[in-house]
Amino acid sequence: MASPDRVPIAYEPDYRTRFIGRYDKGRFFGSVTATLEDGAGAGDDWYRHKRWYAVLHRFDADGVHTDSDTWFAGTSEDEQASIDRAEARLVE
């Protein structure tokens, strides 16, 4: 099966599509996500290695991806503060 040219994403404000919309050059989709290095979750200090990011994807008016930005917000050593910082960055 071939990949589709575009994937529609419905806006659900209280779910994972809170940061989706239009801007003067097209459309955007933002999210807060975390990464964990391979093997880092096995140790007692896993929370030091779980890294939180704000991710912003931009698309042109036709929905073609143009670029993405990522911004490091912190680790799970202070997880809620890291998530809050990532969300605040997306609000900007």
Side-chain angles (χ1 to χ4, degrees):
M1 174 189 289
S3 297
D5 292 330
R6 288 187 280 173
V7 176
I9 301 172
Y11 174 66
E12 297 179 50
D14 296 326
Y15 194 55
R16 295 180 184 213
T17 57
R18 175 178 165 207
F19 299 108
I20 191 171
R22 298 174 190 265
Y23 74 114
D24 61 336
K25 295 181 182 178
R27 302 166 192 240
F28 65 88
F29 174 61
S31 64
V32 174
T33 190
T35 64
L36 192 59
E37 294 178 23
D38 287 341
D44 290 338
D45 65 343
W46 64 268
Y47 53 90
R48 292 184 179 143
H49 303 281
K50 187 173 182 181
R51 298 170 56 89
W52 289 92
Y53 295 89
V55 180
L56 180 65
H57 303 287
R58 285 183 284 280
F59 305 86
D60 66 17
D62 294 323
V64 176
H65 180 257
T66 58
D67 67 339
S68 297
D69 288 326
T70 58
W71 182 77
F72 174 65
T75 69
S76 284
E77 286 183 278
D78 195 357
E79 186 167 280
Q80 192 57 55
S82 297
I83 293 169
D84 291 345
R85 280 191 294 274
E87 288 181 348
R89 180 67 176 222
L90 290 174
V91 168
E92 284 179 24

